[in-house]
Structures are given as C-alpha cells and as structure tokens.
Amino acid sequence: MTKFDFLSDTQKSWHHMDVEQVLASLESSIEGLSYVNARQRLRHLGANKLPRSRPISKILLQPLLDPLTYLLLGSATYLQWNGAEGWALILVGVLHGSIGIGISLWSMKTREKVSRDRPQRRQYETSNSVIVLRDHEEMELPLRDLVLGDVLILKAGDRPNVDLRLLEVSEDLLVNQTNLGGEAICPKQVLGFEENTPALERGNMIYAGTEISSGTAKGVVIATGRFTYEQISLIKERSFSAIHAELRQLRQVWLYLLGLVTIIAIAFAWHRGIIINAMTAAALIVSTYPQNLLRMATQVQLLGMRDLARQRIWARFPSILDALARVTTIVPILESDVILSFDNLHQAGIEWRGLLRTSEEDAQAFGEVIGVETHSYFDAPQERIRQWQGDRPKSMDAVAVIGNDIEDIPLLRLADVGICDRTCRKELQDSSGLILPKEEFHYLPIAILEGRAIFDRLQRTALITASSAFTLAVLTLMDTAAGFSIPPLQLIWVGAIATPIVSFPLVLEPTHESLLFQPARRFQTMLRPSNYLRILLAVTATITAISLVFWLKYQGQAAMFSQARSMAFITLVFSQVFHACAIARQGVLRNLPLLLGISFITVCQVMFIQIPWFGEIISTVPLNGVEWTIAALSATAVFWVQELIKTN
C-alpha cells in the first residue's frame, strides 16, 4: 500500500458525482493541489504523456511474443531430432520474422512522415502548456506535468490532453467535440448527470482531444495519458478497413484448408511412417500460410496516403482509402449560386448527386439544368445518404459527401468518406476523412484512383498467394494418394520463398490510369465469384501442366522417377513466375523489382537442379536442355489462361 493508491481507480462515475464528492475522492480542493503534493503524485503516477506509436523495441521483440514462434521452434526441433529437415522450418521462420519486422519499421516511418505532412498538424499545433492552480496561485505548467487532482483554468482555443470534471464555467462556454465523434457546439454546465448518460452527452465533462470554442472553465483532472476517454476510444474503436477484414477471412479459409489437407494426407500415408508425413505437413503449413499479408496491406495503404499527401490531398486514416476505392456516389452540398465543374466519372461507375440548400422543388429544377440528380438539403438528407449506401452489410457501395459548412458535420460523419478542403473550419476537417487542397472537385478522381490502385495491388497479391497455396495443397494430396511424397524442401522453396519474391513487386507497381475507367463493382470486394474463378483456373492450369510433365516423363518407370519429379518441380516454380508476369500491370522489362525477383529465382532454380550438392538436399537430379525447355514451357499454361481471362 502506498500513499496514492486511491488514485488507481480512474473509472468512477465522475459525471454522476457532485463537485464536493469529486474533490474528496481525488483529495484535492477548489484552489488546486499544493506544489509538494503534486510533485509526489507525479513521481508516483509518471508523466502525463500520450501513448507513443509502437516503440521500436516492441517491434523487434514481436516474433518472440508470438506463441506461433515457439510452436514452430518446437516442431522444428522435434523433426530435426527425428532426422527430418527441421532446420529449414527455423530458417523460413527467421526469414519471415525479419521481413515482418522490416515491414513494421517501414510502416512506422511512413506513418510518421504522413503525420508530419498533414495540414492539421501544421495549422493547429497544440499548446504544450496550460494554466494550473498550485498553492492557491495560477501558474503555467507543461502538459506532461499534470496529475490527477490538478485544477486547470481553460480559455477559448485550449485543447487539453487530460479529462476534466468541470467545477466552474462561464455562461458562454462552448466545447467542440467533433474530434471524438460528438457535436461541434456543446454547451457545458457543472450540475451532475445520470450515471448511464453517454460519454459525449455528459455536459459537466471536458475530454482530451476536444477544444474550447468560447468562454472559460475551471476543472479538475480525473484522467491522464492512456487512461483518457480519447485514448480508450481509439483502442476500442479502430477505423474499419474492408481490405483487412477480407484478408482475415481469406486467412481463415487457408487455415481450414490446411487443417483438412494435413489430416487427409496423414491418413492416406500413415502406414508409410509418421516422420516424413509430419515434415510434409509442417512444410505445407509454413509454405502456404499468408505470412505478413496484413502488414503489407497496412504499408500499402500508408504509401497511398503518402502519395496523396505529395499532391496536397490528405487522407486522415488508412481505412479512408478502402472507402475511396468503393465509392459509387459523390454528393456535394451546394449553394444555388455556386459555379460547378464536374469530371465525368460515369464510365468508372460513379454517379454525381447533389444536396442543395433550398426547397425540393427548386433543387430538382436546379438538377435538371446541370444534369445531376439533386435534392433538398432540408428534406431528410440522412435518409437520402442511407438510401444511396444501399442495404448494409450486403451492399458495399460507398458514398462520399463534400461539405463546407459547420452544419454539414452530421452528414460528413454519416458518409463513408467525408470530404472538405483546407479552407474549411477546423471542426469540418476533424469530421472529414479526406481533405482537399482547395474547393475543387477535380482532385476527387486523383484520390479515387489511388484508392482503387491500392485495392488492385493487394487483390493481385492475394490472388497469386491464394493460387500458390491451393496448388501446393492439392499437389500434396495427389502425391500422397498416389503413394508418392513431395519433398518438403520443395514445398518450402515454392510457397515460402519463391511466391513471396514474385508477389512483392506487385504491391510496388505505380498507379495505372486505366483503373479509373473500370467498373466500380471490381473494387467492391475481393471475395467475389470472378476472383474465385481466377484462382480455380490458375490452380487447374498449374496442376494440369505439372501432372502432364511428370507422367509423360515417368510413365511408370522407376528409373525415370527422379527426372520426372525434378521437371515437375521446375514447372511448379516457373508457374508462379509466369502467373506474376500475367497479372502484373507493368511489363516485366519495365518492372525492375519483378525482373530482379525472377532473375534470382531462375539462378537459384538452376543451382538446385544442376548442382549435385543442392540436389541431395532438395531431392533433385540434373536435367538436360530439352527437359528444361519442356518443363519451363509447360509452366506458361497459367500465363495463357490469365491472358485469356483478360480478353473476355
């Protein structure tokens, strides 16, 4: 027990208590704390610092905190002890763990760069000090020195980073709570509220992240640092990302498939020894699990935010780029005397609709003149927006609303993408997801194109990753059922190394202008029938090519088995290469990362086949030029299938 243990309970119903009870619970007074008592509390509670973004030390230790790391290590040790290639599992684990750390550090640096460039930070720098009562006197202290029980005096323009229970207020006190999802103009009072009153409706509380619009107030600090309402809300209500949600669903499908394939394969080959099958199962899991896909999705979104920032277009959250890709309706809020200039986005499946600050009759007449469906701003605009959004959650249609007045904040928050420009008031910028450099609609196609490009990059990466995983799973089943055993190291090389090498350049490709002229339905969801068909055709083409190469060489002759398996291995590896070439937006010769990846894989593949030392490890034998040509040309089957899909 310590002197200040009573301060550990910060989740009391402060708004329900009267002023005397609040001060008594905090052992404070209306004149504030003494200087000595405040310093003692500061030493006990620590500085009032907002939680930093993920520290580098935590990123570096991330693999050691993951239970899967120890599961992999235990499995690898057991398999190595029993004569299998457990070392390969550890090698792949270290490789992908290092890549994951690298992506996380890259994301952290990109996020910091985007944060420094955003307009809110430059234009509205938060003050680092505040007026506090100590020993009955007013003094200016750094925000980091605030402690529970401190009494603050706030004035217009102040943005506290602590939560306060109000003690005294002026009659003209107004607080802007839009940064927390509340109203732009909130009057405050000292009287208590019901215990179950929602947080943002508690009129006697001022939360961190809000701003004093007018008037003055005196309040006592009841929460600091990571215990403020703002920080707790950020943890509980992270911005929804449709792309991340779909990638998680794909990962679950992969895990179910891997479990099913592993069980069936072990059941088929139980009588042939458990060690080799355990190694095959472990290799299949390691080679087909979508390593670092979610981290890569986050980084691609951050790079998109950075690219937009270079054009002075600011996306406040990565999830905004998801919604931009899905936009089917853009709704500017108009004045009758405004001069309009719209980009024709009909070919992209995007419609312009307007809300005019006039009667419904005048709005429709105005719409007929400009050729855009227009309705009255005063005639249930929220219902209009919900109607355009469609039946959620079935509909993935996104609506973007462009506002320019303080009254537009509720509509900006209701929309999938709230948009304003840098000349708008701070309240509007806090309520918007996309901030344009100025009031011109011509910036919107740029932002929508970037959102679609991000979706397209991740979609193509997911397609090649899923196709590779399903191909390896089907091959494992077919080999086991036929009485063969696919070498585990070949599985690991194809799924855990070669496929990521050729898929990674796909997320680095520049934005392709043609994406803006494709139907909007292509960017609604990755989980659509056409993508399932693409995966099915890619897997079928690859399996067919491998099977033909193997059986035409093998033909039941035991002496030809090693050569047939080596040729099938070449076809499998180069199928991934040709698949990446087929779905890349850029030609191979213009895509330097992809060209380097293909060159590396080709060199390694030649070494694995032609050098006997590698052949002993990876279970291959040297082949002649004709066999190489047949195996490599057979791998182009998936390329021609993808090209055929493009033409239809």
Side-chain angles (χ1 to χ4, degrees):
M1 296 290 292
T2 64
K3 180 179 179 181
F4 297 111
D5 280 344
F6 69 93
L7 295 176
S8 59
D9 183 14
T10 61
Q11 301 302 315
K12 296 180 180 179
S13 300
W14 302 106
H15 63 285
H16 186 58
M17 303 162 62
D18 57 36
V19 171
E20 290 75 16
Q21 288 177 309
V22 172
L23 294 174
S25 297
L26 295 170
E27 294 190 8
S28 183
S29 68
I30 196 73
E31 291 85 12
L33 300 171
S34 69
Y35 182 81
V36 173
N37 187 279
R39 298 304 296 179
Q40 291 174 341
R41 295 189 184 203
L42 185 62
R43 284 195 297 270
H44 176 75
L45 299 172
N48 171 38
K49 294 181 179 179
L50 293 176
R52 292 180 57 191
S53 58
R54 215 171 183 186
I56 294 179
S57 59
K58 190 172 182 179
I59 294 176
L60 296 177
L61 293 175
Q62 178 181 339
L64 299 179
L65 303 176
D66 190 345
L68 293 178
T69 299
Y70 299 98
L71 178 62
L72 178 64
L73 183 62
S75 302
T77 302
Y78 169 78
L79 291 168
Q80 187 67 33
W81 181 265
N82 286 275
E85 299 91 342
W87 59 269
L89 300 181
I90 296 178
L91 183 63
V92 171
V94 171
L95 175 63
H96 282 283
S98 301
I99 293 173
I101 291 174
I103 294 174
S104 298
L105 293 174
W106 188 14
S107 297
M108 184 179 70
K109 297 299 182 183
T110 307
R111 192 186 300 272
E112 290 175 356
K113 177 65 169 60
V114 173
S115 179
R116 285 195 300 268
D117 290 343
R118 71 175 185 254
Q120 295 95 326
R121 187 178 181 111
R122 294 200 302 268
Q123 296 177 9
Y124 303 95
E125 195 70 36
T126 303
S127 173
N128 292 322
S129 60
V130 68
I131 302 299
V132 184
L133 286 176
R134 294 271 176 91
D135 288 325
H136 308 281
E137 295 182 358
E138 294 184 8
M139 59 180 64
E140 188 172 355
L141 291 179
L143 292 172
R144 64 176 181 274
D145 289 344
L146 296 180
V147 296
L148 296 181
D150 262 330
V151 175
L152 275 59
I153 297 178
L154 303 175
K155 59 185 183 302
D158 286 345
R159 296 170 65 89
N161 70 340
V162 294
D163 289 349
L164 301 166
R165 169 60 161 90
L166 290 174
L167 305 177
E168 299 175 6
V169 299
S170 64
E171 293 183 358
D172 60 342
L173 177 65
L174 295 175
V175 179
N176 175 16
Q177 297 185 156
T178 55
N179 199 42
L180 303 181
E183 298 295 330
I185 302 175
C186 300
K188 295 290 182 177
Q189 61 186 42
V190 178
L191 299 178
F193 283 76
E194 294 294 331
E195 189 168 4
N196 60 352
T197 304
L200 296 180
E201 296 179 13
R202 298 169 185 172
N204 55 13
M205 302 288 293
I206 292 181
Y207 295 108
T210 60
E211 182 179 6
I212 308 300
S213 299
S214 64
T216 60
K218 179 189 287 188
V220 60
V221 178
I222 54 94
T224 61
R226 62 188 178 88
F227 298 105
T228 62
Y229 173 78
E230 178 186 31
Q231 296 302 317
I232 293 174
S233 299
L234 287 175
I235 295 173
K236 290 182 178 179
E237 302 177 6
R238 296 186 183 276
S239 298
F240 171 74
S241 172
I243 289 179
H244 284 76
E246 292 187 350
L247 290 178
R248 289 190 182 96
Q249 290 183 31
L250 286 174
R251 186 171 62 180
Q252 291 178 352
V253 172
W254 277 322
L255 290 175
Y256 291 142
L257 176 66
L258 288 175
L260 179 62
V261 169
T262 301
I263 292 172
I264 295 175
I266 291 177
F268 276 158
W270 183 267
H271 65 282
R272 293 190 296 111
I274 188 62
I275 300 302
I276 184 63
N277 287 294
M279 182 61 203
T280 300
L284 181 64
I285 293 172
V286 168
S287 61
T288 57
Y289 185 76
Q291 301 282 349
N292 298 314
L293 195 56
L294 291 174
R295 292 189 185 94
M296 183 54 65
T298 300
Q299 176 59 19
V300 172
Q301 290 178 328
L302 290 172
L303 291 175
M305 294 174 64
R306 183 201 64 185
D307 292 342
L308 287 178
R310 288 173 175 172
Q311 302 179 72
R312 305 185 70 231
I313 302 173
W314 286 271
R316 295 187 64 215
F317 314 105
S319 57
I320 290 298
L321 298 173
D322 289 354
L324 283 170
R326 296 183 288 110
V327 163
T328 56
T329 303
I330 302 176
V331 185
I333 299 174
L334 308 170
E335 305 290 345
S336 57
D337 58 348
V338 70
I339 299 176
L340 298 177
S341 177
F342 296 103
D343 291 276
N344 186 357
L345 299 176
H346 182 74
Q347 191 174 354
I350 299 174
E351 298 292 338
W352 288 91
R353 293 183 170 93
L355 292 175
L356 188 63
R357 301 181 200 275
T358 185
S359 64
E360 179 66 19
E361 182 179 353
D362 291 343
Q364 291 187 6
F366 181 82
E368 291 178 1
V369 173
I370 64 174
V372 173
E373 179 184 344
T374 307
H375 298 276
S376 172
Y377 176 83
F378 307 110
D379 186 13
Q382 289 92 343
E383 294 303 318
R384 297 277 185 192
I385 292 175
R386 293 191 184 97
Q387 178 184 350
W388 292 328
Q389 287 174 330
D391 184 17
R392 299 291 173 90
K394 295 180 180 179
S395 173
M396 295 294 290
D397 293 344
V399 175
V401 174
I402 307 172
N404 53 22
D405 191 89
I406 197 74
E407 297 176 352
D408 303 336
I409 287 178
L411 298 183
L412 294 178
R413 290 193 170 277
L414 177 61
D416 299 279
V417 185
I419 304 173
C420 70
D421 62 81
R422 291 187 62 181
T423 63
C424 293
R425 292 180 55 175
K426 181 66 169 61
E427 292 86 349
L428 258 75
Q429 295 190 30
D430 286 342
S431 301
S432 301
L434 189 71
I435 303 174
L436 306 179
K438 52 187 176 180
E439 193 177 1
E440 287 188 9
F441 299 150
H442 300 297
Y443 289 99
L444 288 179
I446 299 174
I448 292 172
L449 176 60
E450 188 63 40
R452 289 188 170 191
I454 290 170
F455 180 92
D456 180 66
R457 292 170 190 143
L458 293 174
Q459 178 176 247
R460 287 181 289 121
T461 302
L463 284 175
I464 191 172
T465 304
S467 299
S468 173
F470 293 150
T471 298
L472 295 179
V474 173
L475 280 177
T476 301
L477 276 180
M478 290 175 59
D479 274 20
T480 305
F484 304 133
S485 179
I486 187 169
L489 294 185
Q490 293 185 12
L491 286 174
I492 291 174
W493 165 248
V494 175
I497 301 177
T499 300
I501 287 175
V502 295
S503 62
F504 179 73
L506 300 180
V507 302
L508 301 178
E509 288 188 308
T511 301
H512 204 276
E513 298 290 338
S514 65
L515 295 174
L516 192 59
F517 306 104
Q518 295 184 10
R521 56 181 171 77
R522 294 187 178 180
F523 307 95
Q524 301 295 300
T525 175
M526 295 183 188
L527 308 176
R528 63 179 192 271
S530 60
N531 280 342
Y532 295 143
L533 179 61
R534 285 174 176 268
I535 294 173
L536 176 61
L537 292 175
V539 172
T540 302
T542 304
I543 294 293
T544 302
I546 293 171
S547 300
L548 287 174
V549 167
F550 178 82
W551 286 107
L552 289 176
K553 186 67 176 179
Y554 177 50
Q555 295 183 353
Q557 302 179 41
M560 294 288 102
F561 178 76
S562 296
Q563 288 89 337
R565 186 166 65 180
S566 298
M567 291 178 66
F569 179 41
I570 294 173
T571 303
L572 176 59
V573 171
F574 282 102
S575 291
Q576 312 311 313
V577 171
F578 285 116
H579 192 182
C581 294
I583 64 177
R585 291 288 178 187
Q586 276 188 315
V588 176
L589 298 179
R590 291 187 298 160
N591 192 330
L592 182 59
L594 182 58
L595 184 60
L596 292 175
I598 293 173
S599 301
F600 175 77
I601 291 172
T602 302
V603 171
C604 290
Q605 194 65 23
V606 172
M607 293 170 56
F608 293 156
I609 299 297
Q610 299 302 122
I611 299 178
W613 184 80
F614 283 110
E616 293 179 3
I617 296 175
I618 208 165
S619 302
T620 60
V621 295
L623 301 175
N624 58 42
V626 175
E627 291 169 332
W628 266 94
T629 302
I630 293 173
L633 289 178
S634 299
T636 62
V638 67
F639 178 87
W640 299 118
V641 167
Q642 294 298 324
E643 289 297 314
L644 183 62
I645 293 174
K646 291 180 184 178
T647 60
N648 292 331

